[in-house]
Amino acid sequence: MSTSASHTQETAILQAEDLPRLLEALHARRYQVIGPTLSDNAVVLEEIRSVSELPVGWTDEQEGGVYRLKRREDEAYFGYGVGPRSWKQFLNPPNLRLWRARRENGNLQFMLDSQEAPKMAFLGVRPCELEAIAVQDRVFLGKGYIDPVYAERRASLLIIVVQCAQASGTCFCASMGTGPRAESGYDLALTEVIDRRTHHFLVETGSERGADLLQEIPHAPATDAQIAQAWEISRQTARQQSRTMHVEGLKELLYRSYEHPHWEEVGARCLTCGNCTMVCPTCFCMTVEDSVDLGGRNAERRRRWDSCFMMDFSYITGGSVRYSPSARYRQWLTHKLATWHDQFGVSGCVGCGRCITWCPVAIDLTEEVRAFQGKVRGSKEKTHENA
Amino acid sequence: MTTPLLENAAAAWEPPVLEPQEAAPMLPRPYVVNRVRQETSDTFTVELQSADGAKPFRFKPGQFNMLYVLGVGEIPISICGDPSRPDTLVHTTRAVGVVTRAMRRLKPGDVLGVRGPFGSAWPIEEAAGNDVVIVAGGIGLAPLRTALYNMLHERQRYGKIVLLYGTRSPNDILYRREVEKWRSHFDLEVYVTVDRASDRWRGNVGVVTSLISRAPFDPLSTVAFICGPEVMMRFAVLELQKRGVDAQNVYLSMERNMKCAVGICGHCQFGPWFVCKDGPVYRYDVIEPFFGKREV
């Protein structure tokens, strides 16, 4: 959406001390700038007004069920992984009024809420998150119904990617083909280079809009050595990743595994808290809530994020379709990695690792997938070919 | 029996594309209640008419609307009126939840919110030239009544038309007078059965699926439409297959929780499908690998 076919990619060097100029240029163009900042002992995404609000000199430690902030030995601006929040909160707000209704003189009037969306610039979108936005584009703007809430926000969105310079303990984008380097789909992409001698960003432009923005801030041409250095950082990041997921044949495998006994096993560990769905950058499920004032004249409908792990999510007359934790975990994992392909033509997983970090009992989807791959390959009688 | 691996399950059968009528399908439009009729002890029918001069309501048999009661909530209910009378919207439902109970208390002149129609339809066009067997359980007769109306309007296009209808008890027979009238038609085969008979019932006793084995239709050129509880539909398919009806000629209507009806809230997922837009009417062979599995 933000790329233009006619644009040829440029590279340049932006010195770290000039990063504030980028923010100024965005503010001058009346963008609301959203970026990473520290809050509640985590890196979260919020509106930022100056680069000093970025988590300068901080990093994080992530493992299954573990998230901890730590000081870095340098003053890097973007030296951490993805936090508990994702950009979806700005494109598909967690709680939003859709319409109001009024009863008057025996009639009923419905009034659509106008979707006045802020013009936003996302600063610090990681390659996996860029991919997640592309996945949600297919959900909300794909064939069929086009969601005006999302469309309005997406249309004016400017994206500045930050290429990952270090892997988190839980991420596995390299094996999902979604990172750690984004090559298109952004307006600008920054690679932060920091050592004893230099602190700069290699800037890549991905659109006319990005190229125009670059012209307004101090920059110098990038040497081949500087470009090579940035690419080496990405390669290093990929090598740091300890988790992998083998996606080849995975959709078909999961389609065959609906009645596999491993669902019971993982279901026994799952608390059905829904954390994974809240932190997931592609999970899109929502519910609607109707309310009315005490006089019974004015009502409204809101839409709110929902989770397939909630018991009432599948409620129909007679009870919930998916009442057991194992069936709800099966729904989530199978949706993410299998049915998503049939619905939207891509995987629902981008390998960001959030669902592993934020699971209170450290369920790791890469391990669960391996359990199916291992067992199903190993013992024929458990393959459930007719599933 | 081998089941083909679903490489592209969702693409295997494209339901007819039926765009929502409104430009803003998430926004209800006001409809005024003309009549609320009690059908059985727990079912009732509401008849609605546009309160804001909307165009006649075009829909296909098997589609549903989202009905909203101010301050109570919104639920999906299939449309069960006559498609040739698009001025009146007819919905039959069972009063079992907060919204349906509030709906039963409505009086003529009260106003409801309606959005729709949504979803796929019974393939009555494709069924032409064949025998048609309708298998309905309980309230499942409602969405099938629309299909029956359509086919009766063009009776000469079909072979035998057979209605197999089962309810819990004689008192639960929906549209009783209409069913009796249909039964008097020379060109309509109507069989009714109840799970539990009363002292005065002299009709058939047993589950509706038991009627399939002796119903008069030619299995090799029969299209079947099934609507009812999932377990009943499962056994109906088995009985039809025993008679030799091809899985490709069996259609059934699925039920799932629905909030948006436009395929973005995720609630109605059934395998790779969104029942609100890919369903509710499915061709059986398409959903077979998922149908009947627990908690899908």
Side-chain angles (χ1 to χ4, degrees):
Chain A
M1 216 174 222
S2 51
T3 51
S4 101
S6 63
H7 174 76
T8 47
Q9 194 155 331
E10 299 171 56
T11 51
I13 297 296
L14 168 70
Q15 292 302 324
E17 66 256 30
D18 290 327
L19 189 65
R21 304 287 294 274
L22 177 59
L23 241 73
E24 287 163 22
L26 291 169
H27 285 139
R29 293 176 179 220
R30 305 204 175 280
Y31 281 106
Q32 180 189 14
V33 181
I34 318 281
T37 192
L38 293 184
S39 178
D40 301 328
N41 291 315
V43 173
V44 300
L45 303 171
E46 274 172 17
E47 179 170 9
I48 55 168
R49 290 182 176 80
S50 96
V51 295
S52 63
E53 292 175 62
L54 295 169
V56 185
W58 286 94
T59 190
D60 54 30
E61 185 189 318
Q62 298 196 34
E63 254 316 311
V66 173
Y67 181 93
R68 211 171 273 131
L69 288 181
K70 286 194 308 192
R71 283 302 299 190
R72 286 175 64 93
E73 287 170 3
D74 59 23
E75 295 295 295
Y77 281 107
F78 299 100
Y80 37 84
V82 294
R85 296 194 196 160
S86 73
W87 304 96
K88 72 176 180 181
Q89 66 177 307
F90 303 102
L91 295 172
N92 171 26
N95 191 326
L96 184 85
R97 188 166 64 197
L98 287 176
W99 48 254
R100 288 170 300 136
R102 191 165 54 228
R103 191 195 333 247
E104 220 164 25
N105 307 325
N107 207 340
L108 209 50
Q109 231 188 331
F110 294 94
M111 293 147 289
L112 204 58
D113 256 48
S114 68
Q115 296 304 334
E116 268 179 48
K119 183 177 154 188
M120 293 181 290
F122 289 174
L123 171 64
V125 176
R126 302 299 179 154
C128 62
E129 300 182 306
L130 184 67
E131 204 59 37
I133 292 170
V135 170
Q136 288 218 322
D137 283 353
R138 286 168 179 254
V139 173
F140 292 114
L141 310 174
K143 55 179 182 183
Y145 180 69
I146 290 177
D147 177 37
V149 172
Y150 188 91
E152 192 77 21
R153 285 162 175 73
R154 185 70 178 89
S156 58
L157 179 65
L158 185 130
I159 296 179
I160 301 176
V161 156
V162 169
Q163 313 279 22
C164 288
Q166 68 178 56
S168 292
T170 54
C171 57
F172 53 101
C173 66
S175 71
M176 297 300 288
T178 55
R181 180 163 205 90
E183 287 175 44
S184 64
Y186 51 75
D187 293 290
L188 287 179
L190 313 177
T191 309
E192 185 168 24
V193 179
I194 184 166
D195 58 32
R196 263 167 300 171
R197 284 162 299 150
T198 177
H199 188 189
H200 69 255
F201 295 95
L202 178 81
V203 185
E204 296 157 277
T205 64
S207 70
E208 295 287 353
R209 219 161 31 150
D212 288 350
L213 202 56
L214 179 64
Q215 292 315 312
E216 284 180 29
I217 56 176
H219 65 283
T223 65
D224 287 350
Q226 285 169 320
I227 295 170
Q229 187 184 19
W231 278 82
E232 181 48 34
I233 287 172
S234 296
R235 274 192 292 273
Q236 222 174 336
T237 306
R239 282 195 296 271
Q240 285 170 4
Q241 295 182 5
S242 55
R243 283 177 167 81
T244 54
M245 190 191 290
H246 295 286
V247 293
E248 206 188 306
L250 182 55
K251 181 183 106 172
E252 294 76 10
L253 173 68
L254 288 173
Y255 271 149
R256 286 196 302 272
S257 304
Y258 265 82
E259 290 171 324
H260 196 289
H262 186 69
W263 296 119
E264 291 296 330
E265 200 278 315
V266 60
R269 284 178 280 137
C270 176
L271 306 179
T272 69
C273 69
N275 263 16
C276 50
T277 56
M278 294 294 109
V279 296
C280 177
T282 66
C283 271
F284 59 85
C285 287
M286 56 180 105
T287 187
V288 297
E289 283 177 345
D290 289 310
S291 60
V292 67
D293 66 1
L294 285 174
R297 298 171 75 87
N298 297 293
E300 65 175 40
R301 172 165 305 162
R302 305 188 73 87
R303 78 183 206 187
R304 177 176 63 71
W305 287 1
D306 202 1
S307 169
C308 55
F309 282 94
M310 300 300 110
M311 181 69 108
D312 65 353
F313 186 85
S314 61
Y315 184 85
I316 53 175
T317 306
S320 290
V321 173
R322 293 182 283 275
Y323 50 87
S324 69
S326 60
R328 283 177 264 159
Y329 189 83
R330 178 180 68 183
Q331 167 63 24
W332 180 71
L333 195 78
T334 306
H335 185 212
K336 204 101 297 212
L337 302 172
T339 56
W340 207 293
H341 284 279
D342 278 335
Q343 293 170 352
F344 305 110
V346 288
S347 172
C349 176
V350 296
C352 71
R354 283 183 176 93
C355 58
I356 306 171
T357 300
W358 296 96
C359 176
V361 293
I363 294 175
D364 176 344
L365 84 168
T366 67
E367 277 175 29
E368 303 314 323
V369 162
R370 232 186 309 281
F372 289 105
Q373 287 169 330
K375 280 177 193 160
V376 175
R377 277 191 201 130
S379 54
K380 261 284 173 214
E381 71 279 7
K382 285 181 181 171
T383 56
H384 301 274
E385 290 294 348
N386 289 330
Chain B
M1 190 174 59
T2 56
T3 302
L5 181 66
L6 284 194
E7 286 295 335
N8 269 304
W13 178 62
E14 287 287 334
V17 179
L18 298 161
E19 293 300 324
Q21 201 169 22
E22 307 294 337
M26 292 291 269
L27 186 71
R29 293 190 70 157
Y31 274 74
V32 62
V33 175
N34 273 353
R35 194 150 87 126
V36 182
R37 188 177 50 231
Q38 193 72 29
E39 299 281 359
T40 65
S41 66
D42 61 353
T43 60
F44 63 97
T45 298
V46 288
E47 290 185 15
L48 307 168
Q49 214 150 26
S50 172
D52 67 350
K55 284 180 293 195
F57 201 96
R58 305 255 168 242
F59 66 94
K60 301 244 166 132
Q63 288 197 290
F64 67 93
N65 280 329
M66 298 296 287
L67 266 63
Y68 167 76
V69 181
L70 184 85
V72 183
E74 188 186 53
I75 47 161
I77 306 182
S78 60
I79 308 167
C80 63
D82 189 339
S84 70
R85 289 180 52 218
D87 293 334
T88 306
L89 256 180
V90 184
H91 290 278
T92 299
T93 190
R94 210 144 60 94
V96 282
V98 281
V99 181
T100 46
R101 287 207 183 96
M103 218 171 265
R104 181 165 62 174
R105 287 193 298 268
L106 292 171
K107 306 218 158 24
D110 286 345
V111 182
L112 277 178
V114 175
R115 53 194 188 95
F118 300 111
S120 61
W122 301 109
I124 50 171
E125 287 299 318
E126 293 88 327
N130 295 290
D131 290 351
V132 177
V133 178
I134 293 172
V135 188
I139 192 82
L141 181 60
L144 285 164
R145 183 172 75 162
T146 311
L148 191 56
Y149 282 146
N150 261 28
M151 293 187 290
L152 291 178
H153 284 313
E154 299 182 297
R155 183 65 191 86
Q156 71 288 352
R157 297 183 65 198
Y158 300 89
K160 286 200 168 67
I161 296 179
V162 183
L163 170 64
L164 309 177
Y165 181 44
T167 65
R168 287 168 297 180
S169 76
N171 288 334
D172 294 313
I173 296 171
L174 197 57
Y175 311 136
R176 188 174 192 128
R177 257 194 235 163
E178 212 168 6
V179 172
E180 283 171 353
K181 198 181 82 193
W182 289 331
R183 208 171 137 131
S184 71
H185 286 209
F186 295 130
D187 55 2
L188 205 52
E189 308 278 345
V190 178
Y191 300 86
V192 176
T193 184
V194 297
D195 296 342
R196 290 184 309 277
S198 58
D199 293 348
R200 296 168 56 195
W201 177 256
R202 291 293 175 271
N204 198 77
V205 180
V207 291
V208 67
T209 50
S210 66
L211 298 175
I212 294 171
S213 63
R214 51 201 159 97
F217 59 86
D218 174 6
L220 298 181
S221 64
T222 286
V223 176
F225 300 157
I226 316 172
C227 187
E230 251 177 75
V231 58
M232 163 265 179
M233 296 202 286
R234 201 157 79 227
F235 284 100
V237 171
L238 283 176
E239 289 298 323
L240 286 163
Q241 288 184 322
K242 266 193 223 164
R243 285 283 306 267
V245 178
D246 196 297
Q248 292 192 19
N249 292 328
V250 176
Y251 293 82
L252 41 82
S253 184
M254 294 292 296
E255 184 189 0
R256 283 294 180 271
N257 184 301
M258 290 180 190
K259 298 292 182 195
C260 75
V262 294
I264 63 165
C265 81
H267 279 254
C268 68
Q269 286 180 83
F270 168 56
W273 300 283
F274 295 98
V275 173
C276 71
K277 66 185 176 97
D278 306 317
V281 176
Y282 290 95
R283 204 175 79 191
Y284 177 68
D285 64 315
V286 175
I287 60 168
E288 187 178 8
F290 299 88
F291 188 72
K293 294 234 182 322
R294 290 172 66 91
E295 302 185 67
V296 171

